[in-house]
Amino acid sequence: DAGVTQSPTHLIKTRGQQVTLRCSPISGHKSVSWYQQVLGQGPQFIFQYYEKEERGRGNFPDRFSARQFPNYSSELNVNALLLGDSALYLCASSFSSQTYEQYFGPGTRLTVT
Amino acid sequence: QKEVEQDPGPLSVPEGAIVSLNCTYSNSAFQYFMWYRQYSRKGPELLMYTYSSGNKEDGRFTAQVDKSSKYISLFIRDSQPSDSATYLCAMSDEGGTSYGKLTFGQGTILTVHP
């Protein structure tokens, strides 16, 4: 079975630009969570979506937004990029909103210059 | 103070050694405890999953949770060079306002040399 897929793999943007990252969960999984991982740190929770609704939000500014589609895939949008947004953005899927077995994709590496 | 503390290492051991990786935490609401392995420039891979206190064994890996001390451990027996990676502990409470949120430690870099 295919695991969690994310696109693109790498992305280079300039400060002030906007970016959209995409995630497809494992087949049958209805929940998608987004994490930001800065080099040398553990992942930090950004959002969880379940059945197209936001169920959880981490301590990130409103420049970060996301949505989930009827096929359970998801997009993460970041506006007005800052240098500090440079990180690996990880998507994780799970069967339900309260399943703690989360399976991660390979991530999208975002570099902001 | 971070909710989850993990010694970043790096930790270097010879092949065949027993490895002990540890995390401490401050949030007593945490009930689910996970260990992930992350290879360089890859996403984290779920290794083990434990609910509440106790031990869980899976092959060469053993996870221990001591909720009274707010301390969790992962033991790797007969370590192999292929175990070289960053090991992340992660924790979660039983829902409430924390749907889908895993709180991670910083990660410990492990190198197993032949």
Side-chain angles (χ1 to χ4, degrees):
Chain A
D1 286 340
V4 177
T5 59
Q6 293 186 242
S7 64
T9 304
H10 296 90
L11 207 50
I12 299 174
K13 291 286 188 179
T14 304
R15 276 180 300 175
Q17 286 188 316
Q18 175 264 341
V19 67
T20 298
L21 311 180
R22 296 175 176 82
C23 171
S24 292
I26 292 171
S27 178
H29 284 191
K30 301 180 180 180
S31 174
V32 169
S33 296
W34 287 94
Y35 292 81
Q36 179 196 65
Q37 186 176 24
V38 174
L39 192 64
Q41 299 295 320
Q44 295 289 315
F45 175 74
I46 308 175
F47 287 113
Q48 190 213 31
Y49 275 77
Y50 177 71
E51 292 286 11
K52 304 184 292 297
E53 291 187 2
E54 181 184 307
R55 292 297 188 95
R57 172 184 278 262
N59 189 24
F60 279 81
D62 291 343
R63 298 185 296 108
F64 289 77
S65 63
R67 55 179 175 169
Q68 186 177 34
F69 299 98
N71 66 354
Y72 303 111
S73 67
S74 179
E75 288 183 350
L76 175 70
N77 296 285
V78 187
N79 294 322
L81 285 167
L82 304 174
L83 295 179
D85 295 332
S86 295
L88 181 67
Y89 287 86
L90 295 162
C91 171
S93 79
S94 57
F95 180 72
S96 74
S97 64
Q98 289 187 298
T99 298
Y100 302 97
E101 292 181 75
Q102 295 189 17
Y103 296 89
F104 284 81
T108 294
R109 186 161 299 279
L110 173 65
T111 301
V112 182
T113 62
Chain B
Q1 183 187 5
K2 294 182 179 180
E3 280 190 289
V4 179
E5 298 279 357
Q6 184 176 9
D7 186 342
L11 186 61
S12 181
V13 301
E15 184 176 356
I18 296 174
V19 176
S20 173
L21 304 166
N22 311 292
C23 289
T24 59
Y25 63 95
S26 58
N27 187 345
S28 58
F30 288 146
Q31 296 282 0
Y32 294 85
F33 304 92
M34 280 67 66
W35 285 96
Y36 284 84
R37 177 174 62 195
Q38 186 174 26
Y39 292 113
S40 181
R41 309 186 85 81
K42 302 290 186 182
E45 171 194 1
L46 180 62
L47 284 176
M48 301 191 71
Y49 171 105
T50 308
Y51 172 71
S52 194
S53 287
N55 296 353
K56 186 173 184 179
E57 187 173 321
D58 184 1
R60 295 186 296 112
F61 298 89
T62 299
Q64 289 185 352
V65 175
D66 181 350
K67 290 191 66 182
S68 63
S69 301
K70 296 189 177 65
Y71 188 88
I72 71 170
S73 300
L74 178 71
F75 297 95
I76 307 174
R77 291 182 298 280
D78 188 25
S79 57
Q80 302 295 310
S82 59
D83 294 328
S84 299
T86 297
Y87 289 79
L88 296 155
C89 62
M91 307 178 188
S92 185
D93 64 19
E94 294 194 36
T97 61
S98 301
Y99 285 106
K101 177 183 177 181
L102 297 182
T103 302
F104 283 85
Q106 182 178 353
T108 299
I109 299 171
L110 172 67
T111 301
V112 181
H113 51 86

